[in-house]
Amino acid sequence: MTEAGEAMHRLVERLYPLCRSITGDGVRATLDIVGEYIPLQVHEVPTGTQVLDWTVPQEWNIKDAYIADTAGHRVVDFAASSLHVLGYSVPVSATMPLAELRGHLHTLPDHPAWVPYRTSYYKPDWGFCLAQETLDALPEGEYEVCVDSTLTDGHLTYAEHVVPGQVADEVIVSCHVCHPSLANDNLAGIAVATFLARALAQQTPHYTYRFLFAPGTIGAITWLARNAERVERVKHGLVLACAGDPGRLTYKQSRRGDAEIDRVMRHALDASERPHHITEFTPYGYDERQFCSPGFDLGVGSLSRTPYAGYPEYHTSADNLDFVSPEAMADTLALCREAFAVLDRNRRYVNLSPYGEPQLGRRGLYDALGGRSDTKQAQMAMLWVLSLSDGEHSLLDVAERSGLPFDTVAAAADALAATGLVKA
């Protein structure tokens, strides 16, 4: 898993310099790089398209931006970091005194060396983000201000990757691709989603897994609007964000609170004995709130390490490449794989010999356990599966009620199904 962690960190390093927003060439460049790892179907949705209660906005692109003193020295430079410009800034070319410029400057006085991340997507504005210590060092006087950007009719861009399953029912895995140079929020989420897709593609999963790489809020809303007729196929889902920081894993439950994904994530976290935290659903956060909106009410939760706004570095320049680690991303990926292994095998069975306990010995089931180090546990798993295979209890129900490992219960179900004693 260390190898995967290092590979994910290298992907984050490649994506980090790109200037992303909810639209534009930065999103396309990001998806081009992700497309080197997994095949993507890229969608372009025109400006002005009605998507639920929203409208796809104009496309924003930027070439350059700076604040320069009278000597021509750039005291704030977009080329040094894409965070320096207020996201979606309208173009500006002017000279103004510092007193006037201050109204367009954003800093973090409590963290004077950090640069904040700020946007103005739906209200025309322009501005710069800089360290408080940089602002404090600026002398009064005139400054040249330039934002070489465009806001034009274009497209919103998102992409999908599908891992085919044995059934058409889907698990959706979503991550947002709109943030600029923020390593944890959400380049780490993009990297974990990408490598999770690669891992699932090496298997033959039961469910079809659909990975969605889209800008936050408007991207998920656009996908839901364009897939409203088939969204009923989505049986489970997980939003990935903030997946690479050193904090403990945190799972935010779906709006339902008792969706199967909620139970599976709780089980996987408990079984792993990792430090973790489970939180109730709130209608604020990432795109789980779009998938869980009452008209859709999908069983979609959210997995992160430290949740959004839960660490000082959130939405600042301190969320950099040093803040995320290969080990943390590898751990997040491992938990996802463990959880999806449960989700993918968690089905209800019916006992085809329900009157009394069937004779396992003459079917060779006891012999099949020979040599196993957990023979007694495996035998008990068979008995528990037979007892609860009434079409109402899932294998996760069996594991939780019996206290047996899910893998042992699932293996018992496979063995019983192979001899015709149970069927899904």
Side-chain angles (χ1 to χ4, degrees):
M1 195 55 71
T2 302
E3 182 178 342
E6 295 289 347
M8 285 187 286
H9 201 272
R10 288 193 295 271
L11 173 56
V12 170
E13 288 174 348
R14 292 184 65 190
L15 296 174
Y16 187 76
L18 299 177
C19 180
R20 279 166 292 273
S21 188
I22 56 173
T23 62
D25 292 334
V27 174
R28 296 186 185 96
T30 297
L31 297 177
D32 284 344
I33 291 174
V34 173
E36 296 175 19
Y37 292 77
I38 54 175
L40 294 177
Q41 181 181 9
V42 178
H43 304 270
E44 299 274 8
V45 184
T47 296
T49 301
Q50 187 71 27
V51 286
L52 305 181
D53 195 46
W54 295 58
T55 303
V56 173
Q58 287 191 309
E59 182 176 324
W60 182 70
N61 286 293
I62 183 167
K63 294 181 180 177
D64 194 13
Y66 59 86
I67 301 172
D69 60 20
T70 53
H73 172 66
R74 293 189 177 194
V75 296
V76 179
D77 191 356
F78 169 76
S81 171
S82 59
L83 294 179
H84 276 311
V85 175
L86 178 77
Y88 254 63
S89 281
V90 299
V92 60
S93 179
T95 300
M96 63 186 67
L98 180 60
E100 180 182 348
L101 180 57
R102 284 181 184 275
H104 294 276
L105 302 182
H106 305 270
T107 65
L108 293 167
D110 291 341
H111 297 282
W114 297 356
V115 177
Y117 164 56
R118 299 288 185 268
T119 64
S120 185
Y121 294 141
Y122 301 106
K123 178 183 176 183
D125 198 0
W126 64 269
F128 289 85
C129 300
L130 65 161
Q132 181 67 45
E133 61 187 22
T134 300
L135 177 58
D136 292 342
L138 294 181
E140 295 297 330
E142 298 287 309
Y143 289 87
E144 179 189 0
V145 178
C146 173
V147 177
D148 185 5
S149 64
T150 58
L151 269 167
T152 58
D153 287 351
H155 296 84
L156 178 146
T157 309
Y158 72 89
E160 296 174 286
H161 171 79
V162 177
V163 179
Q166 300 171 39
V167 299
D169 290 345
E170 293 186 0
V171 179
I172 191 166
V173 180
S174 173
C175 61
H176 58 277
V177 297
C178 51
H179 285 16
S181 296
L182 300 173
N184 195 44
D185 182 26
N186 186 37
L187 297 180
I190 295 171
V192 171
T194 300
F195 278 75
L196 179 59
R198 293 180 69 174
L200 288 168
Q202 302 302 312
Q203 306 167 16
T204 307
H206 175 72
Y207 289 111
T208 293
Y209 287 82
R210 183 176 300 274
F211 288 78
L212 177 62
F213 300 84
T217 305
I218 186 65
I221 286 172
T222 299
W223 186 88
L224 286 164
R226 301 183 83 211
N227 292 274
E229 298 302 317
R230 53 181 301 280
V231 78
E232 63 183 18
R233 292 186 189 176
V234 178
K235 304 304 180 184
H236 320 283
L238 190 66
V239 173
L240 288 172
C242 302
D245 68 82
R248 63 181 176 176
L249 285 161
T250 300
Y251 176 70
K252 175 183 172 183
Q253 297 181 127
S254 72
R255 176 178 173 269
R256 299 178 193 173
D258 61 350
E260 188 170 341
I261 189 68
D262 301 326
R263 293 189 60 206
V264 166
M265 294 302 296
R266 284 196 298 268
H267 178 84
L269 285 163
D270 287 343
S272 73
E273 298 185 345
R274 291 177 174 87
H276 66 273
H277 184 53
I278 295 175
T279 66
E280 298 290 332
F281 176 81
T282 62
Y284 185 77
Y286 294 110
D287 283 328
E288 66 279 354
R289 68 190 196 272
Q290 311 306 333
F291 298 115
C292 293
S293 56
F296 295 107
D297 194 25
L298 299 176
V300 177
S302 177
L303 180 68
S304 62
R305 300 193 73 84
T306 307
Y308 58 89
Y311 50 99
E313 297 85 355
Y314 178 77
H315 280 194
T316 78
S317 57
D319 184 356
N320 55 32
L321 294 173
D322 293 331
F323 184 61
V324 298
S325 71
E327 294 78 15
M329 285 187 283
D331 186 54
T332 307
L333 174 62
L335 187 277
C336 288
R337 295 186 66 177
E338 292 161 18
F340 281 5
V342 174
L343 183 68
D344 209 58
R345 299 172 73 187
N346 187 37
R347 286 183 283 286
R348 289 173 172 81
Y349 284 78
V350 174
N351 187 336
L352 300 179
S353 182
Y355 300 102
E357 182 180 303
Q359 190 176 25
L360 302 182
R362 70 179 176 86
R363 291 176 171 85
L365 288 168
Y366 286 138
D367 293 339
L369 301 177
R372 288 182 56 149
S373 60
D374 62 343
T375 300
K376 186 174 181 180
Q377 193 177 65
Q379 180 181 336
M380 285 302 301
M382 287 187 185
L383 296 177
W384 271 108
V385 171
L386 287 168
S387 178
L388 295 180
S389 289
D390 51 10
E392 299 295 327
H393 292 85
S394 68
L395 294 185
L396 185 54
D397 291 325
V398 177
E400 290 181 344
R401 185 164 173 180
S402 67
L404 296 169
F406 181 88
D407 284 349
T408 302
V409 170
D414 289 343
L416 291 168
T419 61
L421 282 174
V422 299
K423 112 177 145 171

